[in-house]
Amino acid sequence: MPLLTRMLNAPLSIDVRRGAIAALGELLADKRIVTEGRVAIAVGPGQGDQITEHVRPSLADCEVFHVDGGTVDAAVSLGSKLRAGSYEAVVGIGGGRTIDATKYAATLSGIPMVSVATNLSHDGICSPVASLTHDKGKGSFGVIMPLAMIVDLDYVRAAPERLVRAGIGDVVSNFSAVDDWLLAAEEVGETVDRMALTVARTAAEALLHQPESIESDRFLTVLAESLVLSGMAMSFAGDSRPASGGDHEILHAIDQLYPGTANHGELAGLGAAFCYHLRATRLGVGGERLAEIITCLDRHGLPKAPGDVGLTVGQFAEAVHYAPQTRPGRYTILEHLALDQGEVRKAVEEFVQVHGG
């Protein structure tokens, strides 16, 4: 991808700090985002309304729309309203579902989107991918990347701790995705974008070696920046490859077979741990990385075995065996090993025996 294209795919502004939301009005005054000030605000349940009231004095002319969940229908409905209002930009305020629905709606409307994240549960806050539910389950859709984003640590701290911790699992899963990408290059000749790969890996490395946790503003800042880097890596690559490998195939399979089991980031971290277990036990590589990931998940209170998310050995094995069907054409450790049901069951039993659950 040409350098100029890469630069255009990067956000104009990223603001991560306490009190950052106060700068929203100033941000929207940037003529690179809007010229006449016709801005819509999309809010989800939770803190969205509270934030809107906080910034309303500086956004007096903005119209507020409520997003009813992270569904395709909700996103399409919002997109219709945005087109009808001839808005120049839309601000999505809320968690991952609200942000994803707003990105999809902005894409349908052909206008830029500004992301205001109220939690750090996954890399969707700044990625060119929207994960939305529909009649047949959940799907991933290519969308525009947010043109700018704000993460106010005061609002992040007010979100449920479980959602904030989940983002750690999503970032750490980059390691698995990157190794799957390199495996695909070696085995089937897939082209690797080294810039995207490096950015995705850097995001994970930065987080993995942070000694603190979500009680620390410094850690939350690194987590937010790592999630943004993951989104940028996907934008550079043109798809989710640098942040979605066998780990995400497993989480999508769990979402389809056992909906409501756990959230995205929690399942991504668990999927990454299991993929490295396969590498270590079947290929004899990745054992050190497996230990690092398990230690990280354990330190932050994230699931590291199927039982931690309420799945039996049989259920998790079924999800792993089904996982390649969720991303046809994507080559990962799961496609490479091509284990049959019995072999998958044995691998899961081994994994559980070592890591519990």
Side-chain angles (χ1 to χ4, degrees):
M1 183 183 295
L3 178 59
L4 178 59
T5 303
R6 292 183 186 281
M7 292 172 65
L8 292 174
N9 283 346
L12 291 174
S13 173
I14 301 170
D15 194 351
V16 182
R17 57 188 168 89
R18 287 181 178 267
I21 194 66
L24 179 57
E26 181 180 345
L27 173 64
L28 293 177
D30 189 328
K31 297 301 182 181
R32 293 174 297 176
I33 299 176
V34 297
T35 57
E36 299 179 14
R38 296 194 307 275
V39 178
I41 296 179
V43 301
Q47 300 183 77
D49 283 323
Q50 180 184 353
I51 294 177
T52 302
E53 291 306 311
H54 185 179
V55 300
R56 188 179 290 279
S58 61
L59 303 173
D61 297 329
C62 293
E63 188 165 359
V64 178
F65 299 101
H66 287 80
V67 180
D68 187 20
T71 67
V72 172
D73 287 345
V76 171
S77 176
L78 175 61
S80 297
K81 296 171 184 175
L82 295 178
R83 289 194 300 273
S86 299
Y87 296 102
E88 294 178 276
V90 58
V91 180
I93 301 177
R97 294 177 182 177
T98 303
I99 299 297
D100 278 355
T102 306
K103 287 189 295 186
Y104 191 88
T107 302
L108 293 177
S109 306
I111 61 175
M113 181 261 187
V114 174
S115 171
V116 179
T118 58
N119 68 54
L120 301 175
S121 60
H122 62 75
D123 56 25
I125 61 174
C126 190
S127 77
V129 179
S131 182
L132 301 170
T133 57
H134 49 78
D135 292 342
K136 296 183 179 179
K138 181 178 287 187
S140 296
F141 304 88
V143 294
I144 60 168
M145 187 176 184
L147 191 59
M149 70 170 299
I150 289 175
V151 179
D152 190 320
L153 297 184
D154 289 323
Y155 284 98
V156 169
R157 288 193 171 282
E161 284 192 2
R162 181 185 175 192
L163 292 181
V164 181
R165 293 182 188 279
I168 300 168
D170 206 16
V171 173
V172 168
S173 75
N174 285 8
F175 288 123
S176 175
V178 163
D179 280 346
D180 278 339
W181 203 2
L182 292 173
L183 180 65
E186 181 179 345
E187 296 296 326
V188 298
E190 186 172 330
T191 301
V192 172
D193 184 317
R194 302 300 302 197
M195 174 69 84
L197 183 150
T198 299
V199 171
R201 180 185 283 154
T202 299
E205 290 282 4
L207 188 69
L208 184 69
H209 299 297
Q210 283 295 315
E212 300 161 318
S213 191
I214 65 170
E215 296 77 18
S216 159
D217 280 1
R218 177 183 175 184
F219 182 87
L220 289 177
T221 300
V222 172
L223 173 57
E225 291 172 345
S226 293
L227 291 168
V228 171
L229 285 175
S230 294
M232 291 175 64
M234 288 185 271
S235 182
F236 292 163
D239 60 25
S240 62
R241 197 43 152 143
S244 175
D247 44 277
H248 274 58
E249 289 184 335
I250 292 172
L251 84 82
H252 289 308
I254 294 174
D255 277 342
Q256 291 184 31
L257 297 175
Y258 309 105
T261 295
N263 64 45
H264 182 102
E266 290 173 333
L267 294 178
L270 173 57
F274 182 73
C275 285
Y276 274 109
H277 169 76
L278 291 179
R279 285 188 172 86
T281 58
R282 269 58 180 179
L283 301 182
V285 298
E288 182 176 347
R289 183 67 80 195
L290 170 61
E292 289 178 331
I293 289 175
I294 290 293
T295 298
C296 179
L297 297 178
D298 191 45
R299 183 170 73 248
H300 296 293
L302 288 165
K304 61 182 188 295
D308 296 337
V309 294
L311 294 178
T312 66
V313 167
Q315 289 172 326
F316 191 75
E318 182 183 6
V320 172
H321 189 255
Y322 178 77
Q325 298 180 51
T326 68
R327 287 291 181 273
R330 181 154 294 186
Y331 193 88
T332 76
I333 186 65
L334 303 179
E335 286 79 8
H336 180 68
L337 295 176
L339 303 178
D340 62 29
Q341 286 183 312
E343 291 170 327
V344 170
R345 172 80 184 220
K346 180 180 179 182
V348 173
E349 289 175 344
E350 295 168 348
F351 181 66
V352 169
Q353 184 176 7
V354 176
H355 301 295

